[in-house]
Amino acid sequence: MSQTNSRYGTPVDATLQVEWEDVRPALADAVTAGMAEQHRGADATITDVTREPATEILRTESGNIYARDHPVNEDVTLTVSVGARQTNDGTLWFHGRPVQTGDTVVLDFGSVTVDGTVTDTAVDG
C-alpha cells in the first residue's frame, strides 16, 4: 500500500546511474556492488560498478588540445537502486530533494563517500 503525499509524492523504487570522475584506483577499489547506505529512510544499494580510464586534457606549447587516457585515475559508473518518491508531475525525489540527470548526489557508504553526477534516472516497474 503506497502512501501519497501531494508535496513529496508516492514511494517508488528507482535506479540512478551515477558517474564518479577522476578517481584514484585505491578509492575506486573501495566501491563494490552490494554496498548500501541509509539516508533519512532513502535506501541506496550499488547494483553494478564499471570502471574505465579517466580522460586527461593536454594543451601543447603550440596551442593544440588533446584528450588522452589518464595514466592512473579512473571514471567509475555506479548503478544504484534507490528508494525514492515520485510526485504527480513525475519529479523524482531522493535524499529529500528533486533529482534528475545532471544533478550531483552524495552517497555515504560509511567506508567511502561518492560525490558523483547523475547521468540517468528510471523508475523501476
Side-chain angles (χ1 to χ4, degrees):
M1 181 169 139
S2 66
Q3 295 179 334
T4 300
N5 176 303
S6 61
R7 179 171 178 195
Y8 298 110
T10 303
V12 295
D13 293 323
T15 300
L16 304 179
Q17 293 286 329
V18 179
E19 181 76 21
W20 191 25
E21 296 179 320
D22 203 28
V23 180
R24 293 183 321 271
L27 196 52
D29 287 343
V31 178
T32 60
M35 293 180 81
E37 80 152 4
Q38 286 192 316
H39 180 275
R40 291 178 277 175
D43 298 342
T45 302
I46 299 172
T47 59
D48 190 41
V49 179
T50 58
R51 296 162 61 165
E52 61 184 39
T55 301
E56 179 176 58
I57 306 298
L58 303 172
R59 182 184 299 245
T60 65
E61 288 182 21
S62 63
N64 293 325
I65 298 174
Y66 296 96
R68 70 169 193 171
D69 288 348
H70 190 282
V72 176
N73 291 351
E74 298 174 317
D75 288 340
V76 180
T77 302
L78 305 176
T79 303
V80 185
S81 177
V82 302
R85 299 185 79 80
Q86 188 174 37
T87 58
N88 291 339
D89 67 1
T91 302
L92 193 63
W93 286 68
F94 177 66
H95 281 184
R97 65 181 180 87
V99 64
Q100 61 186 358
T101 300
D103 287 347
T104 298
V105 294
V106 176
L107 301 168
D108 184 355
F109 297 104
S111 60
V112 64
T113 300
V114 173
D115 186 349
T117 303
V118 176
T119 59
D120 193 27
T121 64
V123 174
D124 300 341

